[in-house]
Amino acid sequence: MRFETSQHMRMSQSMKLAPRMIQNMEILQMPLNELEERIEQELENNPTLEIAEIEPDESFNRERAETRDEQQRNNQPLTNNDSADDSFERLSSYESENVDAAENAYSASGLDRFRDLHSPIRRSDDGDSFSAVSVAPARSQSLTEQLSDQWRLASTDPDLARAGDLLISFLDDDGYLRTPLETIVDRQPNLESTAQLNGNAHTAKKLTTDDLTFALEALHDVLDPPGVAARTVPECLLLQLAAIKREKGLEQNEPDDEIDTAAWLVEDHFDDLTNNRLPVISKATGLTIDEIQGAIKLLQKLSLAPARSLVTETTAAVIPDVIVEYDEDQDRYFAYLNDRRLPNLQVNREYAMLSKERSMPTRDKDFIKKNLANAHWLIDAMRQRNETLLRVVNVVIDRQREVFDFGTQSLKPLPMTEVAEQLGIHVATVSRAVNGKYIQTPRGVMQLRNFFSGGYQTESGSEVSYDAVKAAVKDVIDAENKAKPLSDEAVVKALTERGIDIARRTVAKYRDQLGIPSARLRREFTSKTG
């Protein structure tokens, strides 16, 4: 066994991105609402960054706004005449000059007098720095918390209450109990130690399957909305039908033709219902097609996810980053940035002057230089983001003019590589610029990424995008006779007549993506067709 040491020379190439460049890409990728949050965070954490004061002269403000709108209409940069490449060079040179200061650790010593100059806390007009917290909405209760509160008001027996709480903890977001009771029994916590601590003999009892079965029946009667804690979809529907009977003041054994028919179909013919085999059900039950469809209409009013009504899902507001308008005089579309929501940022002059004082302690000077570098970087990153986004949108307007005139069915194939080559930037930059961005057009708010896709070539030689083909598939199916819906092969023939030649499996794929069921499930029966 022998060990040897030797030296070798090897050449290799590797690309390393500076932290500033990575952060610059993040700013480019942020949609408007995220950028607003990022700016607010920087304003709170960086004392050298501030919002530019608005001039009190209203005439000057009006003149500046008109000049700004004119620049936007002419698709000119909103700040200066520097290009995006110049911004990169300026950012790199500034970073190299201040790299030492930027790498120093954040120092807390000797900063009290600087905090007095520029406090990061934004106070409201009444002087309350916590006003934003005081008006913030309270956290809404989760599904488990709401159901547990309902159960505590109804259950009195300790063992029954514990069994119900255990079952509620296993419910999914839709309100279903999909875990078998035997598995829940095995997974229940060991309560012997808890019994010793609490001195409660009831907590030491191990729950059985019978206990959970009895508790589950109680949950079905107590929890609201009806259908929560169901184990299957048919059981969920039957629980809701039983609740409708109770609302009418009827006992479970009292007849109600419509409700009883719906319950009968769910209980004995659920598979035929889900597969739209109404003639089979009619033959097996003796019911007419109209009677079956009446029961189906009742079932369609029920919820397949009853617990969803208890939890409010917040949907983020869509804020367009770019606004596209039509100029009738010049017969063209022009774009401008929706940046009036963003504050005008500038570097605090007092801090800039303090950073040049020689008598200042080194740690304090490093602290100021680091924050000054961050402030300059953020301002340059926002300027470059706006310029890049506007350049990309202008290419989209030029290449996809028909979409703004006639709608999404006129979409043409537009790969990001072509846009990148035309603008002289990397394709990843184009991808980041359009990611999560929306544009407001005369035809509504559209997602910017939807304008970029591949496509097919029609028989006439023109090109049509994948999204346009999807729109054509939906248009053909919407116009079909619902009593005799088109098969995928028939949709292919209808598209061929329009000059679009695609395979049947492609139609099936697009139909699934659009959420359109198969022809058998789309068929609508009548007494005559049945």
Side-chain angles (χ1 to χ4, degrees):
M1 187 173 184
R2 184 177 62 181
F3 295 94
E4 293 182 353
T5 59
S6 60
Q7 293 182 342
H8 300 277
M9 293 183 63
R10 184 177 62 182
M11 297 180 63
S12 63
Q13 292 182 344
S14 62
M15 182 178 64
K16 295 182 179 180
L17 296 177
R20 290 295 184 214
M21 189 61 66
I22 296 176
Q23 293 175 344
N24 199 63
M25 294 177 181
E26 292 177 355
I27 291 293
L28 176 63
Q29 191 169 348
M30 285 182 180
L32 191 58
N33 52 353
E34 294 183 10
L35 184 59
E36 288 179 325
E37 296 177 1
R38 179 62 174 272
I39 293 174
E40 182 64 26
Q41 182 181 1
E42 291 291 336
L43 286 171
E44 293 179 357
N45 297 332
N46 191 343
T48 66
L49 186 66
E50 64 181 9
I51 299 177
E53 295 293 337
I54 301 177
E55 292 79 1
D57 188 357
E58 295 183 359
S59 61
F60 177 78
N61 289 339
R62 184 165 54 252
E63 181 180 355
R64 187 180 66 172
E66 293 176 356
T67 303
R68 178 178 176 275
D69 291 341
E70 184 64 24
Q71 289 178 341
Q72 291 174 342
R73 292 178 182 274
N74 295 331
N75 297 327
Q76 296 176 357
L78 303 181
T79 52
N80 55 26
N81 295 326
D82 296 337
S83 63
D85 295 336
D86 294 337
S87 300
F88 268 122
E89 294 177 359
R90 183 172 59 257
L91 180 62
S92 301
S93 61
Y94 189 89
E95 180 182 356
S96 61
E97 294 174 1
N98 297 275
V99 65
D100 295 334
E103 292 178 352
N104 287 330
Y106 187 96
S107 174
S109 62
L111 301 181
D112 293 339
R113 58 193 181 97
F114 301 121
R115 293 195 181 99
D116 294 337
L117 289 175
H118 191 92
S119 174
I121 299 177
R122 298 293 186 269
R123 297 183 178 271
S124 60
D125 295 336
D126 58 359
D128 184 9
S129 59
F130 300 99
S131 60
V133 179
S134 62
V135 300
R139 182 185 69 86
S140 59
Q141 282 187 311
S142 65
L143 174 63
T144 302
E145 291 172 343
Q146 295 184 59
L147 296 179
S148 297
D149 289 345
Q150 295 182 31
W151 178 240
R152 291 190 190 98
L153 295 175
S155 59
T156 56
D157 182 78
D159 291 334
L160 178 62
R162 187 160 54 87
D165 288 334
L166 181 61
L167 292 173
I168 289 174
S169 66
F170 279 86
L171 298 182
D172 62 13
D173 294 337
D174 294 332
Y176 286 92
L177 181 67
R178 304 188 187 276
T179 307
L181 298 182
E182 294 78 10
T183 304
I184 298 177
V185 169
D186 296 336
R187 293 182 182 178
Q188 65 178 305
N190 186 3
L191 300 176
E192 293 183 0
S193 58
T194 306
Q196 296 176 358
L197 292 175
N198 299 337
N200 189 350
H202 290 286
T203 57
K205 176 185 176 182
K206 184 178 178 63
L207 297 174
T208 64
T209 305
D210 293 337
D211 295 330
L212 296 184
T213 302
F214 183 73
L216 183 60
E217 293 177 357
L219 288 176
H220 291 163
D221 295 333
V222 170
L223 296 184
D224 187 69
V228 173
R231 287 165 289 187
T232 61
V233 174
E235 185 179 26
C236 178
L237 297 175
L238 291 174
L239 290 173
Q240 295 179 66
L241 291 173
I244 295 176
K245 259 195 172 183
R246 290 195 298 268
E247 291 177 358
K248 290 184 175 182
L250 300 176
E251 297 293 336
Q252 293 301 318
N253 56 356
E254 292 188 55
D256 185 292
D257 293 340
E258 188 179 31
I259 298 176
D260 293 341
T261 301
W264 179 21
L265 297 181
V266 170
E267 210 166 3
D268 297 338
H269 304 278
F270 186 73
D271 184 62
D272 292 329
L273 274 179
T274 55
N275 288 280
N276 200 29
R277 293 194 287 259
L278 303 193
V280 175
I281 298 175
S282 178
K283 184 177 180 181
T285 61
L287 298 172
T288 64
I289 295 296
D290 292 338
E291 291 174 333
I292 298 174
Q293 288 181 338
I296 292 176
K297 289 181 180 179
L298 175 60
L299 294 175
Q300 289 174 344
K301 298 178 181 179
L302 307 181
S303 174
L304 297 179
R308 294 286 181 179
S309 61
L310 295 178
V311 181
T312 303
E313 297 182 358
T314 57
T315 303
V318 175
I319 304 175
D321 290 79
V322 182
I323 299 176
V324 178
E325 295 184 357
Y326 178 68
D327 188 351
E328 295 182 358
D329 296 335
Q330 301 183 16
D331 188 26
R332 70 181 186 93
Y333 291 91
F334 61 91
Y336 58 92
L337 298 172
N338 184 24
D339 61 349
R340 295 187 178 180
R341 299 172 57 95
L342 302 178
N344 295 322
L345 301 179
Q346 69 179 14
V347 175
N348 185 277
R349 294 183 180 181
E350 296 180 5
Y351 279 106
M353 295 176 62
L354 286 174
S355 65
K356 300 178 182 180
E357 291 186 3
R358 296 183 180 180
S359 60
M360 180 176 297
T362 304
R363 291 185 178 180
D364 297 343
K365 184 179 292 187
D366 291 343
F367 165 75
I368 295 178
K369 285 187 176 181
K370 176 184 177 181
N371 283 278
L372 285 173
N374 292 337
H376 281 289
W377 161 79
L378 179 61
I379 295 173
D380 284 344
M382 290 179 57
R383 181 185 300 116
Q384 183 206 344
R385 171 192 180 273
N386 293 343
E387 292 176 358
T388 303
L389 179 59
L390 197 58
R391 293 175 66 197
V392 172
V393 172
N394 286 332
V395 175
V396 170
I397 293 176
D398 182 61
R399 297 287 300 274
Q400 302 283 14
R401 167 67 188 262
E402 290 80 4
V403 177
F404 300 97
D405 289 337
F406 308 111
T408 55
Q409 288 192 357
S410 302
L411 269 173
K412 296 180 180 179
L414 182 60
M416 291 186 181
T417 53
E418 294 185 11
V419 178
E421 293 176 359
Q422 181 174 343
L423 297 179
I425 57 179
H426 196 274
V427 64
T429 303
V430 178
S431 178
R432 292 187 180 93
V434 304
N435 182 60
K437 309 293 194 312
Y438 289 84
I439 62 174
Q440 180 177 323
T441 71
R443 291 189 169 271
V445 178
M446 301 181 180
Q447 193 169 6
L448 185 55
R449 182 174 287 274
N450 292 341
F451 288 90
F452 299 86
S453 66
Y456 302 95
Q457 189 172 17
T458 63
E459 295 179 353
S460 61
S462 60
E463 294 181 338
V464 58
S465 69
Y466 297 141
D467 292 337
V469 175
K470 287 184 184 179
V473 171
K474 185 178 184 303
D475 184 53
V476 170
I477 294 178
D478 289 343
E480 70 184 0
N481 181 6
K482 299 304 179 183
K484 296 180 180 180
L486 299 175
S487 63
D488 292 342
E489 291 83 356
V491 174
V492 170
K493 294 180 180 178
L495 293 176
T496 303
E497 295 176 357
R498 298 188 179 190
I500 303 174
D501 186 15
I502 58 176
R504 184 200 60 80
R505 61 179 179 273
T506 305
V507 171
K509 180 181 70 173
Y510 288 167
R511 181 173 48 76
D512 291 338
Q513 293 176 357
L514 293 170
I516 300 175
S518 62
R520 176 168 53 84
L521 299 180
R522 298 198 308 271
R523 184 180 180 186
E524 296 180 359
F525 293 91
T526 62
S527 299
K528 295 181 180 180
T529 58

